[in-house]
């Protein structure tokens, strides 16, 4: 409309602070609002008329900082620096105000036309606290609104403030509150700043903005500088300044800048936050004083992990036995109905033997998922990531790497690898992706449960399983450390994890999560594993050996195994597996594990049901009675399983996520298998030499 003025307003804030809810109220739209982070992935926009203005609102993805490295955070950062909205509405979740003001500290450096919406006031009040918004307005020099967006907001007041801010902004001014980067850093900023041409893009932002970003190692800005004529001079000065600051503070400029910004946020909080009810105890704070305590954090973490396993094995044990009995009964039933021949062999040995040996672990998987969901929903898992950050840093990973590793543990490496997308630096991401498959995923679990069940007395089973988990973590961290020392990178990352308040999880939610994840496991058994079970059965059945004794069932002669395709490949590979205490059958089982780890169990199941006529014995008993195994061989087998190449699904996803990097692919497939062989070799040979567990 002629004469109308356009105003672009961007909504910026931490994930889950209520941006989309406010966007909907301001624009009158009813978009999907979610209560989990990451609902707004791309930006959304909507325009409305107000008096003589066309106001366009843009709902940006949530971000914790503008030093964004991760892809969804970049959308927000790029929008703010390239599109330069007329007004930024900073939505602040007041129940987590300090973290939210950290983002504000960076926004003040980009624009002076900011409006603050203090949201979630209801949650803040329920904690016995309140905010003095007038004080905040005076302190920061920007308009402040306190809202409960999920109820309603004073849309008209906000719209008119947008217009006045827009009109006032024509007289350029800086916001009143600014981050003070200390004299030492300011001096260096001055030196860098003097070399940067004033015509450079972005130099219209706050004084020092470009120089500050350079100190922060911002790759985008560094690229910009690299295109300049004077780049060598600037980069030289930058190196000098970084060195000087490091020398002075004994910390990298990145971390100091982060600390100073937090200090800024903290000082605002101290001024504006009031305690209304003095004696109200914040349960979350009380629990966190223990859970995040310097000395207690790690023991509590270990205890929680142990509880998950104890719970799983104690309660699932009887059910797994019932399932086992059921599948044996079912196998017999079918075996008695069907006439002898190939079809019977396919169904009994191939399908029920293969899929059944996996399905019986379904209760175990369900209990495990339930326990994990419990700690996830209660709010502990976020603390676990926080607690692990310091340890992870030592291995060149970030606390955020813990989540992908956790997802893979008892779950699946594939979602684990995909979850690394939330990591900030490429190097962290690559390393994390590489070590995620070392975790004991839900598919390795039945393999371990089987072998441990055979070779360890009942009371040692849980501790042994627990030790395997610890071992998997040690291996992953060691490999991460080695990779960290070999890959060079200039990126620095800082952990920002939301610590939600604790609450008692709703049973319905837990059961739902358990069921969804459990169903995935069954689906895998019903599709991929079924298919592979049939393939493996065929590999053992064809080509056929000539019938020598017609009284024997063709499929079950030892001759048939040697004659079959699988037997031939196994024989071919036997010399490689011999030094690590494995025979042809185990070599075949391990090879089949490339398809999916749980297939190892079903392959052993198929091999033993083809080899032995006794349908009444469980696979566990069959292995127990097989003199070609020993407990040392069992342990070597476990170690090999733990380390060698991941399943094809993980490998494919990893390859894709590394942008089809062949070197990393080979490292994962061949490197890990070689490493597994070396570790197994050492253990087996030492065990043999010391005569440990060789019976
Ligand atoms: P966004 O990620 O910043 O876009 O946040 P959303 O607008 O999706 O809101 C996240 C969740 O917080 C939703 O479940 C909202 O209903 C809820 N929410 C928004 N504002 C408030 C508020 O002021 N108080 C409370 N208790 N909940 C709110
Ligand atoms: Mg949103």
């Amino acid at each position: 409309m002629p004469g109308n003025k356009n105003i672009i307003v961007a909504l910026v804030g931490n994930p889950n602070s209520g941006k989309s809810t406010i966007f909907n109220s301001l624009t009158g739209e009813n978009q999907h609002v979610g209560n989990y982070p990451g609902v707004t992935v791309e930006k959304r926009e909507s325009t409305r008329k107000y008096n003589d203005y066309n106001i366009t609102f843009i709902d940006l993805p949530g971000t914790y900082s503008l030093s964004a490295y991760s892809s969804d955070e970049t959308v927000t950062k790029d929008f703010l620096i390239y599109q330069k909205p007329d007004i930024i509405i900073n939505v602040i979740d007041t129940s987590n105000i300090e973290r939210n003001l950290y983002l504000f500290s960076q926004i003040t450096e980009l624009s002076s036309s900011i409006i603050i919406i203090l949201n979630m006031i209801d949650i803040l009040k329920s904690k016995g606290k309140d905010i003095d918004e007038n004080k905040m307005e005076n302190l920061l020099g920007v308009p402040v609104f306190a809202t409960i967006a999920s109820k309603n907001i004073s849309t008209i007041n906000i719209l008119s403030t947008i217009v006045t801010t827009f009109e006032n902004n024509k007289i350029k001014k800086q916001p009143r509150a600014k981050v003070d980067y200390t004299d030492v850093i300011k001096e260096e900023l001055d030196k860098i700043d003097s070399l940067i041409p004033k015509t450079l893009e972005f130099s219209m932002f706050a004084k020092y903005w470009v120089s500050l970003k350079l100190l922060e190692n911002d790759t985008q800005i560094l690229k910009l500088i690299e295109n300049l004529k004077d780049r060598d001079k600037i980069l030289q000065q930058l190196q000098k300044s970084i060195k000087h600051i490091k020398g002075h503070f004994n910390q990298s400029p990145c971390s100091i800048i982060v600390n100073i910004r937090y200090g800024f946020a903290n000082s605002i909080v101290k001024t504006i936050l009031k305690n209304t009810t003095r004696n109200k105890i914040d349960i979350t704070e009380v629990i966190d004083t223990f859970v995040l305590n310097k000395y207690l954090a790690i023991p509590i973490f270990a205890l929680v992990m142990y509880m998950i396993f104890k719970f799983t094995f104690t309660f699932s044990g009887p059910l797994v036995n019932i399932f086992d009995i059921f599948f044996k009964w079912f196998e017999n039933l079918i075996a008695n109905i069907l006439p002898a021949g190939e079809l019977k062999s396919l169904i009994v040995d191939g399908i029920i033997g293969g899929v059944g040996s996996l399905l019986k672990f379904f209760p175990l998987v369900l209990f495990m998922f339930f326990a994990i969901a419990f700690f996830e929903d209660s709010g502990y898992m976020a603390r676990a990531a926080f607690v692990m950050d310091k340890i992870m840093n030592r291995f060149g990973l970030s606390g955020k790497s813990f989540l992908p590793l956790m997802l893979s543990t008892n779950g699946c490496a594939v979602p684990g690898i995909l979850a690394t997308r939330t990591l900030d630096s490429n190097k962290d991401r690559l390393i994390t992706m590489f070590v995620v498959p070392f975790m004991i995923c839900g598919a390795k679990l039945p393999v371990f449960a089987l072998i441990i069940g055979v070779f360890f007395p009942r009371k040692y089973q849980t501790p042994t399983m627990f030790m395997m988990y610890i071992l998997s973590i040690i291996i992953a961290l060691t490999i991460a450390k080695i990779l960290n020392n070999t890959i060079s990178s200039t990126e620095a990352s800082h952990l920002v994890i939301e610590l939600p308040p604790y609450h008692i999880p709703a049973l319905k939610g837990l059961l739902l999560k358990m069921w969804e994840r459990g169903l995935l496991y069954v689906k895998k058994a019903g599709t991929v594993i079924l298919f592979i079970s049939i393939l493996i059965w065929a590999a053992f059945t064809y080509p056929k050996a000539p019938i020598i004794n017609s009284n024997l069932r063709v499929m079950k002669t030892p001759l048939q195994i040697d004659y079959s395709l699988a037997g031939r490949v196994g024989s071919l590979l036997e010399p490689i597996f011999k030094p690590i205490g494995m025979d042809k059958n185990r070599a075949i089982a391990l090879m089949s594990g490339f398809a999916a780890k749980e297939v190892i169990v079903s392959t052993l199941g198929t091999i033993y049901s083809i080899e032995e006529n006794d349908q009444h014995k469980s696979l566990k008993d069959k292995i127990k009675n097989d003199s070609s195994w020993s407990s040392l061989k069992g342990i070597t087998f476990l170690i090999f399983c733990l380390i060698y190449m991941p399943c094809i699904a993980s490998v494919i996803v990893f390859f894709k996520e590394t942008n089809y990097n062949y070197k990393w692919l080979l490292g994962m497939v061949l490197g890990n298998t070689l490493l597994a062989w070396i570790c197994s070799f050492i253990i087996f040979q030492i065990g043999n030499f010391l005569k440990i567990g060789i019976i």
Side-chain angles (χ1 to χ4, degrees), residues 286-335:
V286 174
I287 299 178
D288 273 347
T289 50
F290 295 101
V291 166
L292 301 180
N293 177 285
K294 213 160 97 187
Y295 303 103
L296 294 176
I298 301 292
I300 290 176
F301 173 75
L303 187 72
V304 168
M305 293 300 133
Y306 191 78
M307 269 155 56
I308 293 177
F309 302 125
K310 186 78 196 155
F311 172 84
T312 307
F313 284 95
T314 310
F315 291 104
S316 71
L319 276 172
V320 171
N321 283 339
I322 293 174
F323 270 56
D324 197 25
I325 293 167
F326 170 78
F327 279 113
K328 259 183 278 169
W329 169 81
F330 188 64
E331 205 174 299
N332 273 328
L333 186 79
I334 302 289

Side-chain angles (χ1 to χ4, degrees), residues 194 394 577 616:
S194 64
R394 252 182 251 161
F577 282 91
H616 299 279

Side-chain angles (χ1 to χ4, degrees), residues 4 40 104 114 295 338 457 559 573:
N4 274 13
T40 316
F104 172 76
I114 303 170
Y295 303 103
L338 290 175
L559 184 67
L573 291 178

Side-chain angles (χ1 to χ4, degrees), residues 301-464:
F301 173 75
L303 187 72
V304 168
M305 293 300 133
Y306 191 78
M307 269 155 56
I308 293 177
F309 302 125
K310 186 78 196 155
F311 172 84
T312 307
F313 284 95
T314 310
F315 291 104
S316 71
L319 276 172
V320 171
N321 283 339
I322 293 174
F323 270 56
D324 197 25
I325 293 167
F326 170 78
F327 279 113
K328 259 183 278 169
W329 169 81
F330 188 64
E331 205 174 299
N332 273 328
L333 186 79
I334 302 289
N336 289 333
I337 293 173
L338 290 175
E342 228 139 284
L343 181 69
K344 175 171 170 167
S345 170
L346 168 66
I347 292 179
V348 175
D349 303 334
I351 298 177
I352 304 180
V355 175
S357 47
L358 179 73
L359 276 187
K360 82 172 199 228
F361 288 104
F362 185 49
L364 186 137
V365 174
L366 281 186
F367 276 98
M368 182 75 80
F369 286 154
F370 185 85
I372 290 179
F374 178 85
F375 284 107
E376 259 174 20
D377 283 12
S378 67
Y380 180 75
M381 285 307 178
R383 267 86 185 170
F386 189 75
V387 168
M388 293 307 284
D389 190 49
K390 275 200 200 99
I391 299 179
M392 294 296 221
N393 269 332
R394 252 182 251 161
F395 297 93
L397 297 169
S398 89
K400 279 190 189 169
S401 314
F402 167 73
L403 296 171
L405 294 174
M406 189 70 216
L407 274 178
S408 172
T409 308
N410 302 314
C412 177
V414 172
I417 291 173
L418 292 176
T420 60
R421 287 186 188 170
T422 57
L423 265 69
D424 299 329
S425 93
N426 271 330
K427 184 180 167 184
D428 282 1
R429 193 172 166 220
L430 197 56
I431 297 178
T432 309
M433 274 198 285
F434 192 85
V435 300
V436 155
F438 286 120
M439 296 291 103
I440 298 179
C441 64
K444 283 184 199 166
L445 196 62
V447 183
F448 286 38
L450 174 74
I451 302 295
I452 289 175
V454 171
F455 294 106
F456 289 87
R458 194 162 178 80
K459 68 173 175 183
Y460 292 124
Q461 286 175 6
T462 307
T464 309

Side-chain angles (χ1 to χ4, degrees), residues 14-253:
N14 286 15
N16 254 344
S17 54
K19 295 174 301 297
S20 298
T21 314
I22 291 167
F23 174 85
N24 292 346
S25 303
L26 290 174
T27 59
E29 278 188 38
N30 202 357
Q31 299 267 3
H32 176 69
V33 182
N35 66 347
Y36 50 93
V39 170
T40 316
V41 179
E42 271 299 319
K43 52 184 193 293
R44 296 198 323 248
E45 59 172 85
S46 176
T47 305
R48 74 171 287 165
K49 275 206 192 75
Y50 177 74
N51 296 345
D52 290 337
Y53 299 88
N54 289 322
I55 309 181
T56 303
F57 290 96
I58 293 149
D59 184 16
L60 291 165
T63 176
Y64 292 112
S65 82
L66 294 178
S67 325
Y69 303 104
S70 75
S71 57
D72 42 343
E73 293 189 352
T74 314
V75 174
T76 301
K77 182 190 169 194
D78 283 352
F79 185 84
L80 294 183
I81 64 177
Y82 291 113
Q83 309 294 321
K84 301 175 201 80
D86 299 306
I87 288 172
I88 297 175
I89 293 187
N90 184 193
V91 179
I92 287 180
D93 171 3
T94 46
S95 67
N96 207 338
I97 188 160
E98 198 169 332
R99 162 101 29 89
N100 281 256
L101 282 170
Y102 177 82
L103 176 65
F104 172 76
S105 74
Q106 286 179 293
I107 294 175
T108 54
E109 286 159 6
L110 285 183
S111 169
S112 52
S113 309
I114 303 170
I115 296 172
I116 289 181
I117 294 188
L118 297 170
N119 195 30
M120 312 261 179
I121 290 292
D122 52 335
I123 298 181
L124 185 76
K125 282 191 173 153
S126 74
K127 287 184 174 174
K129 289 177 186 155
D130 205 356
I131 280 184
D132 190 336
E133 40 190 291
N134 290 328
K135 219 174 188 176
M136 188 163 181
E137 213 160 83
N138 287 331
L139 182 72
L140 303 182
V142 299
V144 176
F145 291 90
T147 62
I148 303 172
S150 48
K151 288 200 181 125
N152 61 347
I153 61 171
S154 45
T155 310
I156 297 302
N157 285 345
I158 295 176
L159 289 176
S160 74
T161 307
I162 287 172
V163 169
T164 41
T165 310
F166 178 74
E167 293 298 343
N168 285 346
N169 188 38
K170 292 186 176 148
I171 324 150
K172 267 266 179 222
K173 66 172 186 355
Q174 290 278 327
R176 216 167 294 159
K178 270 194 310 189
V179 184
D180 181 4
Y181 287 105
T182 73
D183 289 341
V184 178
I185 294 181
K186 268 194 266 180
E187 230 169 73
E188 298 306 315
L189 285 173
D190 255 335
K191 285 184 203 157
I192 304 170
D193 218 48
S194 64
L195 298 172
I196 289 169
K198 292 292 157 270
T199 49
L200 186 74
E201 214 178 344
F202 307 133
S203 42
M204 68 294 197
F205 293 138
K207 201 178 169 197
Y208 303 142
W209 193 80
V210 173
S211 318
L212 200 58
K213 285 283 142 194
L214 287 176
L215 277 184
E216 279 186 85
N217 230 327
D218 187 300
T219 36
Q220 230 171 345
I221 305 298
L222 274 170
K223 268 200 199 111
L224 211 65
I225 297 295
E226 265 156 24
N227 292 329
L228 293 177
K229 249 200 345 262
D230 285 345
R231 64 164 180 264
D232 292 337
K233 242 173 156 182
I234 299 176
L235 293 178
Q236 259 168 24
Q237 177 58 46
L238 181 62
Q239 287 317 317
K240 256 196 246 164
S241 296
I242 290 176
K243 214 169 148 199
H244 181 78
I245 295 172
K246 253 189 191 155
H248 190 274
F249 292 96
N250 206 5
Q251 246 183 331
S252 74

